[in-house]
Amino acid sequence: MISPEYTYPEGAAAFPHNGLVGIAGLAPHEIWFLLDEAEQWVELNRNAQKHREVLSGLTIINAFFENSTRTLLSFEIAGKRLGADVVNMAVATSSVKKGETLIDTAMTLNAMRADAIVIRHASSGAVQLIADKVDCPVLNAGDGQHEHPTQALLDALTIRHAKRAFNGLRVTICGDILHSRVARSNILCLTSLGADVRVCAPPALMPADIERMNVQVFHDFDAALTGADVVMMLRLQMERMEGQFIPSPREYRHLYGLSMERLAKAQPDALVMHPGPMNRGIEIESDVADLAGRSQITTQVEMGVAIRMACLDVLTRRGRKAEGWA
Amino acid sequence: MNTHAPLTVTNGRLLLPGGEIVPGAIRSEDGFITAIGPDVTPQPGDLVFEAAGKLVTPGLVDLGVFEIDKPAFHFGGITRAALMPDQNTPLDIPSRVRFAAQSGKPDFWVHPLAGATRELKGEALAEIALMREAGARAVATGRRWIGDSGTMLRLLHYTAMLGLTVIAHAEDGGIVGKAVATSGEMATRLGLPSAPAKAEALAIARDIALAELAGAAIHFRNVTTAAGLDLVRAAKVRGLKVTAGVSPAYFMLSDLAVAQFRTFAHLSPPLRSEDDRKAVIAAVADGTIDVIGSGHDPRGPEDKRLPFADSAPGMAGAETLLPLTLNLVRDGVIPIGRAFDLLAANPARLLGADAGRLAVGAEADIAVVDPDRPWIVDSDKMAASAGNTPFDKQPVQGRVLALFKGGVTVRTKKVRPA
């Protein structure tokens, strides 16, 4: 176990929230609690036998209104390893395409008496809207350009394993900050834990007044990398861009692609992270992405399952009257 | 032909043009004000309304509403509204304008605004002269800015010739795109598509230049930013025919109101920064703003109970128009006479309607108002066809006790003597 930087109360007071819509609204010790809870699942997942009947008899619905492979799979595995009945609802096969409103879909899911609903949606705020209407815990698996809290938690867990402490840690997040919910959740999570966060993007991909979120703003990637302990690269979200934001991927790579030469500006032991899916040869060169000992990209995926197990476990404790949470 | 008995509202405090308040009575016959002042008394056969010392004002003239919603307008003391052309079938041909112009009678006057371009697409000019014949009192670009400067210039030349004012939406469409919020910390934290507030000043700068070139009168329906207001202020100093309006939301709220993705605060233009909110108040005080309108746009859950960016912009504003404007009076920003200039006299003048003021010969659109009476806005109990107000549960002051359209009773509440 990692030495505790934060203490938290026993039982239900450690996490007094009914759902996980965002990192915003979480206290540092609540984030820390979730990270601690995830450690046991990291251990379990490294065993051959990786099943626990913690959520046995519970139904978890993964309602994904936006395409996803990795996050959906991660949530599905997390639920199944904890013994829950996991159902996936994908947009392509749902009545959302027939004009049903989001609220009606939410009420339908609610009537099916799910014990937790995991939601991804292309519109910012959609998950909060559903969370306000259903009785069970709601987990945000990404809403528009707003938040993706489990991604930030798994990134924090990955960093904690490698760096142990966050205070003063220099984290550079580079890429399409404007369209990135991962960036927003990571900024909230990492600054809350005491890291010094830098964000780097061309002006067109940098949201206004982002410095009000306690980050340093860079447009020059080399300057942003200098002395960094963690380098987090983001994908260009072409599908969310209205109009032209950059002249070409080639030009973007020239200015913001993470190469070995560029990585040398960071600390010698700087971690390389990417939430995936990667565009190799655009925002990150293959040799950097595969750099043994430095690249955390597969570790992030591993931590993702553990974090989602922790979130599903913790958020259903009230409903299943777990000891100390009833 | 008005066959109703003459009306006399007695024992009121009469708000006269110029802002003077005098005790007295007001009498109307055949729909027009025939006498006003301390010496006026009811004649035999008159319908008499005892105002019990309350304020007697002109009925409000609401410039730029999106729906004719009489219960809400009557609640709010509004006797006339200029209807935006953005209807299910847009007001871009004479027959629809003619129909809309009749749609409020007898107890409400609708002044249709002629759509400037066909289907409001901002491309081909609509039949504006024929729509004027059909009852249009002004021309409006609709919810959107006309992006093509050549089209806008031709429109302004044409309306200058016809003597009609163009009511413009002031947001540069290229910058706004699909934005639903003003760029800034709030939009960034919420991850909402946003556009810089300067989109407004850019649109206003171009349209003032084009209006000057054409010698046309232009009215910006909502001017909500310091930079936009500065341009209007400077244009007025130069003597151009430029006027500006605003809705109370923009002097009451900043973009903080959209926190938690509150779609009732999703407006067009979007709510601005706190600095801009203060600039709007200053512009009301110094005369840069000429009109305060509700922008009444009732929207049910099918339009509002959606993710923020997918929801429709707009608020049901008719019921709160008067009390929120009276906030400015209580705060000492403007005297009460000026409040009613903004709410009634100025919009009536812009529409060329002989209303919006208590004067002999004007149409007898009369409200009896208790400017101090407190009440609480409740979106579940609104008179409007939908309760989408960002002021839900907010205490306000100012209530219409009685309303008369053309000297005929629309609604009265029992008035307790003061």
Side-chain angles (χ1 to χ4, degrees):
Chain A
M1 282 294 278
I2 282 141
S3 61
E5 278 192 24
Y6 297 91
T7 55
Y8 37 82
E10 288 293 304
F15 198 79
H17 304 281
N18 291 324
L20 182 66
V21 174
I23 299 294
L26 296 189
H29 71 267
E30 291 163 2
I31 296 170
W32 205 255
F33 169 71
L34 291 176
L35 300 183
D36 282 353
E37 284 288 327
E39 295 291 358
Q40 59 182 308
W41 308 121
V42 176
E43 293 300 315
L44 179 79
N45 289 340
R46 288 175 178 170
N47 294 334
Q49 169 55 256
K50 15 176 134 33
H51 196 86
R52 287 277 175 81
E53 293 291 334
V54 176
L55 305 186
S56 153
L58 301 196
T59 303
I60 296 168
I61 299 179
N62 293 324
F64 277 55
F65 298 89
E66 187 185 61
N67 283 335
S68 162
T69 310
R70 309 155 65 95
T71 306
L72 177 58
L73 198 57
S74 184
F75 268 107
E76 184 173 1
I77 290 171
K80 285 184 169 163
R81 284 195 183 157
L82 292 174
D85 298 323
V86 180
V87 187
N88 293 336
M89 193 198 84
V91 145
T93 55
S94 80
S95 54
V96 173
K97 292 233 159 131
K98 300 171 196 159
E100 185 175 70
T101 70
L102 188 58
I103 293 287
D104 288 335
T105 308
M107 296 315 288
T108 304
L109 298 179
N110 194 47
M112 291 174 184
R113 296 195 168 270
D115 297 287
I117 303 178
V118 180
I119 299 162
R120 167 168 288 195
H121 196 283
S123 280
S124 303
V127 176
Q128 179 70 59
L129 188 69
I130 295 177
D132 291 343
K133 297 287 169 195
V134 301
D135 303 318
C136 68
V138 167
L139 281 86
N140 184 355
D143 65 323
Q145 304 161 20
H146 176 224
E147 282 230 47
H148 190 356
T150 58
Q151 178 72 42
L153 292 169
L154 74 88
D155 287 339
L157 189 61
T158 305
I159 295 170
R160 193 170 84 160
H161 273 240
K163 296 287 180 191
R164 310 191 73 81
F166 289 87
N167 222 0
L169 199 71
R170 278 159 297 193
V171 182
T172 299
I173 305 176
C174 179
D176 184 356
I177 310 286
L178 179 67
H179 296 100
S180 178
R181 54 196 174 210
V182 174
R184 282 171 180 78
S185 287
N186 261 311
I187 289 167
L188 291 166
C189 184
L190 293 167
T191 55
S192 174
L193 295 176
D196 292 333
V197 179
R198 306 163 171 181
V199 291
C200 180
L205 296 176
M206 188 70 83
D209 294 348
I210 184 92
E211 63 278 4
R212 300 291 291 271
M213 296 180 78
N214 303 315
V215 298
Q216 260 187 292
V217 175
F218 290 82
H219 301 303
D220 177 349
F221 192 23
D222 291 321
L225 282 172
T226 303
D229 298 300
V230 178
V231 182
M232 208 178 266
M233 301 303 295
L234 300 174
R235 189 170 63 91
L236 276 183
Q237 308 223 277
M238 304 286 195
E239 72 281 7
R240 293 203 190 130
M241 293 186 187
E242 299 279 347
Q244 198 190 9
F245 285 74
I246 52 160
S248 72
R250 188 171 74 158
E251 186 146 309
Y252 182 81
R253 174 191 188 178
H254 174 67
L255 291 174
Y256 297 102
L258 185 62
S259 61
M260 291 300 291
E261 296 75 44
R262 282 225 167 92
L263 184 60
K265 309 248 185 225
Q267 293 290 340
D269 60 347
L271 305 180
V272 174
M273 301 175 70
H274 195 301
M278 281 183 282
N279 296 310
R280 286 174 184 260
I282 299 180
E283 74 266 9
I284 190 164
E285 298 300 317
S286 272
D287 50 358
V288 179
D290 302 330
L291 191 59
R294 304 278 296 280
S295 171
Q296 302 294 311
I297 295 168
T298 53
T299 310
Q300 288 172 271
V301 178
E302 183 192 358
M303 296 300 150
V305 176
I307 277 291
R308 283 157 189 143
M309 290 169 80
C311 291
L312 289 171
D313 171 24
V314 167
L315 288 171
T316 56
R317 281 182 191 173
R318 280 184 191 80
R320 58 196 161 83
K321 301 190 177 6
E323 197 185 333
W325 293 70
Chain B
M1 230 11 230
N2 195 321
T3 56
H4 293 270
L7 168 77
T8 304
V9 176
T10 59
N11 193 24
R13 293 166 57 239
L14 307 165
L15 180 62
L16 301 179
E20 193 189 355
I21 296 175
V22 299
I26 182 166
R27 186 165 185 275
S28 78
E29 286 178 79
D30 296 333
F32 293 90
I33 296 169
T34 52
I36 180 165
D39 317 323
V40 174
T41 52
Q43 305 297 309
D46 280 10
L47 177 73
V48 178
F49 182 83
E50 158 65 45
K54 301 299 183 198
L55 194 65
V56 179
T57 73
L60 308 192
V61 181
D62 196 353
L63 187 66
V65 304
F66 290 90
E67 186 178 307
I68 297 305
D69 186 2
K70 276 203 248 180
F73 292 139
H74 287 159
F75 182 103
I78 299 162
T79 44
R80 294 163 185 265
L83 180 65
M84 290 293 285
D86 313 70
Q87 304 298 309
N88 283 339
T89 47
L91 305 181
D92 62 348
I93 55 172
S95 59
R96 292 189 197 127
V97 167
R98 189 173 292 110
F99 180 79
Q102 303 298 323
S103 63
K105 291 180 180 181
D107 54 356
F108 193 78
W109 248 234
V110 176
H111 297 295
L113 299 174
T117 55
R118 290 171 201 262
E119 297 174 33
L120 305 175
K121 283 183 174 169
E123 293 161 6
L125 293 190
E127 294 171 329
I128 294 167
L130 291 177
M131 286 192 279
R132 182 180 65 171
E133 297 307 309
R137 299 290 188 107
V139 177
T141 63
R143 290 182 192 274
R144 287 187 302 173
W145 190 62
I146 292 180
D148 186 291
S149 304
T151 303
M152 188 64 179
L153 179 58
R154 285 189 290 278
L155 169 70
L156 289 163
H157 272 304
Y158 202 65
T159 55
M161 173 188 78
L162 297 173
L164 294 171
T165 300
V166 170
I167 297 172
H169 181 86
E171 279 186 292
D172 183 302
I175 288 184
V176 168
K178 292 186 178 171
V180 295
T182 304
S183 294
E185 183 182 356
M186 183 55 67
T188 290
R189 284 184 185 272
L190 295 178
L192 292 174
S194 65
K198 270 285 193 294
E200 179 176 284
L202 277 165
I204 290 175
R206 186 205 70 172
D207 286 351
I208 287 176
L210 295 175
E212 183 176 14
L213 192 57
I218 189 162
H219 174 78
F220 299 103
R221 193 165 54 86
N222 268 315
V223 185
T224 61
T225 65
L229 290 161
D230 284 346
L231 290 167
V232 171
R233 198 174 281 122
K236 287 185 168 194
V237 168
R238 291 171 54 218
L240 303 181
K241 288 179 272 185
V242 174
T243 52
V246 79
S247 289
Y250 300 100
F251 59 71
M252 293 295 297
L253 303 173
S254 71
D255 62 354
L256 290 178
V258 307
Q260 261 110 56
F261 300 101
R262 287 190 202 98
T263 57
F264 284 5
H266 178 191
L267 306 179
S268 172
L271 288 170
R272 307 300 193 182
S273 69
E274 181 64 11
D275 286 347
D276 283 331
R277 183 185 79 85
K278 289 177 181 159
V280 170
I281 292 175
V284 173
D286 72 11
T288 303
I289 285 178
D290 307 275
V291 173
I292 298 178
S294 73
H296 190 65
D297 197 359
R299 297 277 187 170
E302 67 281 6
D303 287 326
K304 283 293 190 182
R305 214 164 60 178
L306 294 169
F308 194 93
D310 304 335
S311 69
M315 65 171 275
E319 286 151 271
T320 50
L321 175 62
L322 175 62
L324 295 177
T325 303
L326 289 175
N327 277 350
L328 298 176
V329 177
R330 273 187 293 275
D331 292 347
V333 176
I334 47 171
I336 195 157
R338 166 113 171 101
F340 280 86
D341 287 347
L342 290 156
L343 293 168
N346 293 348
R349 189 180 311 116
L350 193 147
L351 293 166
D354 193 3
R357 61 202 175 92
L358 298 185
V360 171
E363 295 201 39
D365 299 350
I366 301 165
V368 179
V369 173
D370 182 345
D372 299 317
R373 182 158 166 162
W375 57 287
I376 291 174
V377 181
D378 185 340
S379 71
D380 294 330
K381 294 178 186 163
M382 305 244 300
S385 63
N388 51 313
T389 171
F391 300 102
D392 188 29
K393 305 295 183 283
Q394 191 158 315
V396 293
Q397 278 179 274
R399 191 83 176 239
V400 175
L401 306 175
L403 189 65
F404 306 92
K405 174 78 194 80
V408 177
T409 305
V410 175
R411 71 194 294 267
T412 56
K413 284 173 80 88
K414 198 170 178 72
V415 181
R416 283 185 297 273

